[in-house]
Amino acid sequence: MEIHYPGVRSPVQEQRARWERKRACTTERRYQEQLGLVATYFLGILKAKGTLRPPERQALFGSWELIYGASQELLPYLEGGCWGQGLEGFCRHLELYNQFAANSERSQTTLQEQLKKNKGFRRFVRLQESRPEFGGLQLQDLLPLPLQWLQQYENLVVVLAENTGPNSPDHQQLTRAARLISETAQRVHTIGQKQKNDQHLRRVQALLSGRQAKGLTSGRWFLRQGWLLVVPSHGEPRPRMFFLFTDVLLMAKPRPPLHLLQSGTFACKTLYPMAQCQLSRVFGHSGGPCGGLLSLSFPHEKLLLMSTDQEELSRWYHSLTWAISSQKN
């Protein structure tokens, strides 16, 4: 029977650490090559030609060149086996990834605007994308590269730290690097989530019209939207558009198609606070093809919402449940 002593790595751990270090060198090399392609064939030439003014160029590429420089600093350390020292130095550049993430939405917007209105830039981008070095990738595919690679860094460094014994001179540096990179990856993820939510809010706000709609989405977190049938105490069910946020459920009515100014938008009818909501399924538990009915009770009103799509109703039920629970925490 093999006996393992504290602080001593097993042969399996040592082999895995060697594999991970070799894989990390290969992936970092590939990452640096792709960063270099953009820096050389886009950034460098755009600077020389003046096709984009400096403000647009900065908005499009953000901290790309500095991130490329950080990778150039890191790779020789990795290839030389100085992992702890190299990653410790790399962690001093992690703020560049936060800045890059914060600029990512502006970058994509700038790219689309310039492709649309700047004929010279549009021709230049198509020419560069046709180079064999890019392997068919477009600039819009390459712009998120640093943020995608940050996740790779996190996975690799965490595995390396776990498979490096505490007696190794690299252990403390790798453990610290794993923590710092994981924290940065989480901040970048949070930035991305906020940007997606802001996009949803702008889209929803554009769909709402009338005085009551002004500022309705400001500061909220969007969860879902869709058509549901409102079942009244008397009469036929009426289709309404619902927008669910973490704190409120918004019921809206479509404007008439022939409305001169607001056709295609929705008039806000009622805001229901999720903190005061009691939710239950009246029927539709079995997952059959007949749809279902949800009951939402508020202090002064009760809503019965129906859908003929069982899966859609289940998604609404889970989203509503999550919204209600988020208001109680």
Side-chain angles (χ1 to χ4, degrees):
M1 184 177 68
E2 188 177 5
I3 300 175
H4 298 293
Y5 297 96
V8 178
R9 291 189 302 168
S10 70
V12 172
Q13 286 178 305
E14 290 178 351
Q15 181 61 53
R16 189 177 183 190
R18 285 195 294 270
W19 285 340
E20 291 300 332
R21 288 173 187 241
K22 183 178 179 180
R23 184 163 72 96
C25 279
T26 303
T27 54
E28 181 64 24
R29 210 173 287 121
R30 175 60 182 153
Y31 175 45
Q32 188 180 120
E33 288 172 2
Q34 291 180 309
L35 288 173
L37 286 174
V38 174
T40 301
Y41 292 112
F42 282 100
L43 259 164
I45 297 177
L46 283 171
K47 278 185 179 180
K49 290 170 64 73
T51 308
L52 281 185
R53 296 184 303 129
E56 281 83 14
R57 195 171 64 240
Q58 178 61 32
L60 180 57
F61 295 102
S63 52
W64 190 283
E65 286 183 301
L66 295 174
I67 288 174
Y68 179 38
S71 177
Q72 288 177 306
E73 286 181 22
L74 174 62
L75 186 57
Y77 285 101
L78 303 189
E79 293 176 330
C82 302
W83 289 77
Q85 186 180 355
L87 287 166
E88 187 174 54
F90 172 76
C91 286
R92 291 195 289 269
H93 301 292
L94 286 175
E95 180 57 29
L96 295 174
Y97 285 84
N98 291 327
Q99 295 170 5
F100 194 85
N103 185 66
S104 60
E105 186 178 9
R106 183 179 174 217
S107 172
Q108 289 292 341
T109 301
T110 301
L111 176 61
Q112 297 309 316
E113 287 177 350
Q114 292 301 316
L115 287 174
K116 185 176 181 179
K117 69 181 185 180
N118 188 329
K119 185 177 179 180
F121 177 72
R122 184 167 63 249
R123 190 165 50 240
F124 168 78
V125 168
R126 287 174 181 168
L127 178 65
Q128 300 306 86
E129 289 174 344
S130 67
R131 289 178 175 271
E133 295 92 336
F134 287 97
L137 290 173
Q138 296 181 333
L139 180 57
Q140 66 179 6
D141 303 320
L142 292 165
L143 285 176
L145 182 66
L147 302 183
Q148 295 165 355
W149 226 259
L150 183 64
Q151 186 65 54
Q152 296 263 10
Y153 278 134
E154 181 184 18
N155 296 337
L156 285 169
V157 177
V158 167
V159 171
L160 284 171
E162 289 174 348
N163 288 278
T164 300
N167 293 331
S168 168
D170 280 350
H171 180 263
Q172 188 173 354
Q173 291 170 314
L174 286 174
T175 301
R176 182 173 180 272
R179 177 178 59 81
L180 292 175
I181 292 172
S182 292
E183 289 173 354
T184 302
Q186 182 57 50
R187 283 194 292 272
V188 164
H189 176 74
T190 300
I191 291 170
Q193 291 296 101
K194 187 178 184 305
Q195 288 176 344
K196 287 179 182 178
N197 181 65
D198 290 343
Q199 290 171 3
H200 281 303
L201 294 183
R202 287 194 295 270
R203 179 184 57 80
V204 171
Q205 188 66 63
L207 288 173
L208 300 173
S209 60
R211 286 183 299 174
Q212 286 182 308
K214 291 182 179 179
L216 267 182
T217 63
S218 178
R220 293 198 153 104
W221 280 89
F222 174 82
L223 296 180
R224 68 182 302 108
Q225 75 179 71
W227 291 97
L228 291 169
L229 295 169
V230 177
V231 181
S233 55
H234 302 286
E236 294 294 317
R238 300 185 300 269
R240 292 290 183 264
M241 176 62 77
F242 285 88
F243 300 92
L244 177 62
F245 305 90
T246 49
D247 62 328
V248 294
L249 176 67
L250 167 61
M251 182 172 71
K253 182 180 179 181
R255 296 283 186 182
L258 298 180
H259 197 290
L260 290 176
L261 299 177
Q262 298 173 336
S263 174
T265 65
F266 296 86
C268 173
K269 301 302 291 182
T270 314
L271 277 178
Y272 298 98
M274 299 314 297
Q276 300 175 10
C277 179
Q278 292 184 342
L279 173 68
S280 63
R281 276 183 173 174
V282 179
F283 68 87
H285 302 77
S286 62
C290 299
L293 186 69
L294 299 179
S295 171
L296 288 76
S297 296
F298 300 92
H300 304 291
E301 189 174 352
K302 184 174 182 178
L303 269 181
L304 290 176
L305 303 180
M306 186 173 73
S307 174
T308 56
D309 185 331
Q310 176 65 50
E311 291 185 3
E312 176 68 6
L313 194 79
S314 292
R315 286 191 286 268
W316 270 104
Y317 179 78
H318 291 303
S319 295
L320 287 163
T321 300
W322 190 92
I324 292 168
S325 64
S326 73
Q327 296 304 300
K328 294 178 179 177
N329 294 336

